[in-house]
Amino acid sequence: MSCRCQTLPNLSMEGGKLFLTFFDLFLLRKVSKQLQALIQALCRDCGLSPSDNMNIQLLITAADATSVSPSELTKMRPLSTWCSQFNAQELLDVLKNKSLVVHFQPILNVQDQTIYAHEALIRGLTPEGKIIPPNLLFGQAKDAELLFNLDRLCRETIMHTAAKLNYFGRLFINFLPSAIYNPENCLSTTMALAERYGFNPHNLIFEVVETERIDDVGHLRNILDYYRAKGFRTALDDMGSGYSSLNLLASLSPNIVKIDRELIMNIDQEPIKQAIVGGILGMAKQTGITTLAEGVETEQEWRYIRDIGIDLVQGYYFSMPRAEQDLYNLSYQPLLRGESSL
């Protein structure tokens, strides 16, 4: 079965057939005068409201198509989605050319300040060598309904890069739950690469990125169960922020929980943050979940989270993400500032 994440949209301007569905006769009349130039108008304001854009569905087929099959009808998308795809040429170039680079940020064991793992962080790359930040890439991908494609390419690029560097230590790999609609199909290439390169499954930690609200906890639990069944470990990001809660922690039972930067910032000075983090830490210890404080940027924050017994730590106080060529230099250099005072 072909996975949705392996197919990019057909945005050819060379010719083809355009199928449209109008759920309102008034909309048909409103758009009919622009049909000849509709594709070019997709990227411009053509006088349609957001509601209009959602109620006009488009399907672009190959030039030699003589009919539309039922399966192809499932590829119809709102006009607003097509507009986003036409406006996401930089993203489409990244996907077509697999133009992603990996930066690594160390995660330290609090007890002895040794490197416990690295988190792999993705950046896009333009043909001119300019870095495209991940928030821009994923923002465009969400609007253009290409999160499936981007998320899959990120996971594959990370494993290709780690294997190329001969790095088989612990590695945190981010993923978006909304980009995995069926774990067996969507994660098959990820599992195959892990086996092909000989990664120890226990060293790969797949981390849920909570960039959007988790509405379907059952679906996320199925994804985490799939990872665990294959021998991998899981982590939950941003605990304590946005929509995450202790109930979510209890329901998903990840191996590692990352405490959000907003809670860690100035925690040494704010009793409310101390109480919240203390609650997360207490529950984690009772259930055998490893805790990780992310975003530590000051010596005061570091001392506080060290003293209350958090297991792992990550942040600019120790190291910013580094390009792949710096991975081994980073691994063998002391990271703690003011080491003699700790």
Side-chain angles (χ1 to χ4, degrees), residues 133-235:
N135 59 325
L136 179 60
L137 277 180
F138 281 92
Q140 289 185 348
K142 181 179 179 181
D143 292 340
E145 295 191 8
L146 293 172
L147 279 176
F148 301 92
N149 310 74
L150 181 58
D151 189 70
R152 171 177 172 267
L153 180 60
C154 288
R155 283 180 271 115
E156 293 179 3
T157 301
I158 287 168
M159 284 195 284
H160 282 308
T161 301
K164 179 185 73 175
L165 296 172
N166 200 31
Y167 176 78
F168 295 96
R170 298 186 189 94
L171 190 63
F172 281 65
I173 302 175
N174 297 331
F175 75 93
L176 289 167
S178 58
I180 299 174
Y181 55 91
N182 181 301
E184 186 128 8
N185 285 337
C186 295
L187 300 176
S188 58
T189 54
T190 303
M191 301 299 109
L193 280 177
E195 184 174 352
R196 171 185 165 188
Y197 287 129
F199 285 101
N200 180 345
H202 194 69
N203 283 343
L204 295 182
I205 301 106
F206 288 95
E207 177 181 334
V208 179
V209 179
E210 288 195 312
T211 55
E212 56 189 338
R213 182 170 183 168
I214 298 175
D215 291 316
D216 192 345
V217 176
H219 173 64
L220 178 54
R221 188 185 303 114
N222 287 339
I223 296 172
L224 298 187
D225 287 345
Y226 180 85
Y227 276 128
R228 285 189 283 254
K230 298 295 183 179
F232 303 98
R233 291 193 291 165
T234 61

Side-chain angles (χ1 to χ4, degrees), residues 39-160:
I39 297 300
Q40 288 78 8
L42 287 173
C43 299
R44 303 194 302 267
D45 180 10
C46 53
L48 299 176
S49 69
S51 176
D52 292 341
N53 279 309
M54 289 301 297
N55 284 316
I56 300 175
Q57 302 280 314
L58 285 81
L59 172 65
I60 302 176
T61 72
D64 58 354
T66 58
S67 62
V68 180
S69 66
S71 63
E72 283 190 304
L73 286 175
T74 64
K75 300 176 184 178
M76 296 192 76
R77 294 290 181 269
L79 179 60
S80 56
T81 298
W82 286 106
C83 288
S84 295
Q85 291 185 352
F86 273 92
N87 286 323
Q89 288 301 318
E90 195 170 60
L91 168 65
L92 287 168
D93 288 342
V94 166
L95 293 173
K96 289 176 183 177
N97 300 317
K98 300 184 178 180
S99 303
L100 295 174
V101 293
V102 185
H103 287 197
F104 295 90
Q105 186 174 32
I107 294 170
L108 276 65
N109 187 314
V110 171
Q111 188 172 16
D112 57 12
Q113 291 94 58
T114 57
I115 292 180
Y116 172 84
H118 287 87
E119 180 173 1
L121 301 165
I122 284 289
R123 308 286 187 264
L125 200 62
T126 68
E128 299 75 30
K130 174 187 173 184
I131 292 290
I132 308 171
N135 59 325
L136 179 60
L137 277 180
F138 281 92
Q140 289 185 348
K142 181 179 179 181
D143 292 340
E145 295 191 8
L146 293 172
L147 279 176
F148 301 92
N149 310 74
L150 181 58
D151 189 70
R152 171 177 172 267
L153 180 60
C154 288
R155 283 180 271 115
E156 293 179 3
T157 301
I158 287 168
M159 284 195 284
H160 282 308

Side-chain angles (χ1 to χ4, degrees), residues 266-284:
N266 298 323
I267 189 173
D268 54 294
Q269 305 170 33
E270 301 188 26
I272 293 179
K273 290 183 178 182
Q274 295 171 8
I276 296 172
V277 171
I280 296 172
L281 181 59
M283 182 175 180

Side-chain angles (χ1 to χ4, degrees), residues 106 115 118 319 322-335:
I115 292 180
H118 287 87
S319 174
R322 303 286 185 87
E324 60 186 63
Q325 61 266 24
D326 295 328
L327 175 63
Y328 284 108
N329 290 335
L330 184 64
S331 299
Y332 295 107
Q333 291 177 356
L335 297 174

